[in-house]
Amino acid sequence: MDKAEKWAFSLAGLMLVIFMLAIIIGSNATGVHIPGAEKKVQPFSKDTLFQVGPEEYELHMIARMWVYQPSTITLPAGSTVHIYIISKDVEHGFLVKDKDVNMMVMPGEVNTETVKFEKPGTYPFLCHEYCGAGHQFMSGKFVIKQTGGMDNENQ
Ligand code: CUA
């Protein structure tokens, strides 16, 4: 191997290590959670939403061509939601508007992200990974309701 080639390979290797460290240190220092596959929660076949603590919920969501189950999730303001999402068929996406949630939904994996809804309002979500003919219809929303005496239609 040529001396210049060796030098170029070493430099490329060193830069890979530096970039990898930058991602790891950067995500830890700034508290950015890198989405990944969940190992603790077993794959599920039914969509559910249940309360796991005060103002804390767990959502088991199913993505399939071309819907999310459930597609409308109503929660009180201040809720923290642990989202677990699986795909029944192909690769889908899951992106929540105005929130730090941007996931790939890989078949065969439980994909997870945690999000807190401080303010009341409607937060639409959609599939941002092309998944077939009905891809553009694949969407839903979080409806976050004001808590306290102001809201009479609270269930
Ligand atoms: Cu699901 Cu695009």
Side-chain angles (χ1 to χ4, degrees):
M1 196 187 290
D2 187 86
K3 217 176 183 182
E5 266 183 325
K6 260 188 191 167
W7 187 81
F9 274 122
S10 308
L11 187 67
L14 181 67
M15 283 173 69
L16 275 179
V17 172
I18 291 171
F19 289 147
M20 194 63 99
L21 284 176
I23 291 171
I24 294 165
I25 293 167
S27 79
N28 283 326
T30 57
V32 174
H33 170 66
I34 300 172
E38 173 60 47
K39 300 279 187 284
K40 281 175 281 177
V41 170
Q42 290 300 304
F44 42 87
S45 55
K46 201 177 168 292
D47 58 291
T48 40
L49 172 71
F50 49 94
Q51 196 158 6
V52 290
E55 302 189 312
E56 201 173 344
Y57 297 84
E58 202 168 300
L59 173 65
H60 289 186
M61 184 181 256
I62 296 167
R64 59 181 173 89
M65 291 174 178
W66 289 281
V67 287
Y68 292 103
Q69 291 171 234
S71 62
T72 300
I73 302 105
T74 307
L75 291 166
S79 296
T80 297
V81 193
H82 306 287
I83 303 165
Y84 297 92
I85 183 165
I86 59 162
S87 168
K88 281 272 194 207
D89 37 49
V90 298
E91 196 174 311
H92 295 281
F94 186 74
L95 183 143
V96 184
K97 190 173 180 276
D98 297 332
K99 285 286 162 191
D100 214 4
V101 178
N102 183 339
M103 274 195 275
M104 301 296 301
V105 185
M106 309 290 284
E109 279 181 7
V110 179
N111 308 269
T112 184
E113 188 57 272
T114 293
V115 59
K116 183 166 187 175
F117 293 100
E118 306 271 10
K119 292 191 197 128
T122 300
Y123 299 83
F125 54 80
L126 55 81
C127 178
H128 61 310
E129 189 65 34
Y130 183 72
C131 56
H135 160 72
Q136 67 273 23
F137 303 116
M138 201 168 160
S139 63
K141 59 184 187 288
F142 286 98
V143 178
I144 307 302
K145 300 230 170 187
Q146 183 72 262
T147 48
M150 304 287 284
D151 190 3
N152 296 323
E153 50 165 10
N154 225 340
Q155 310 93 329

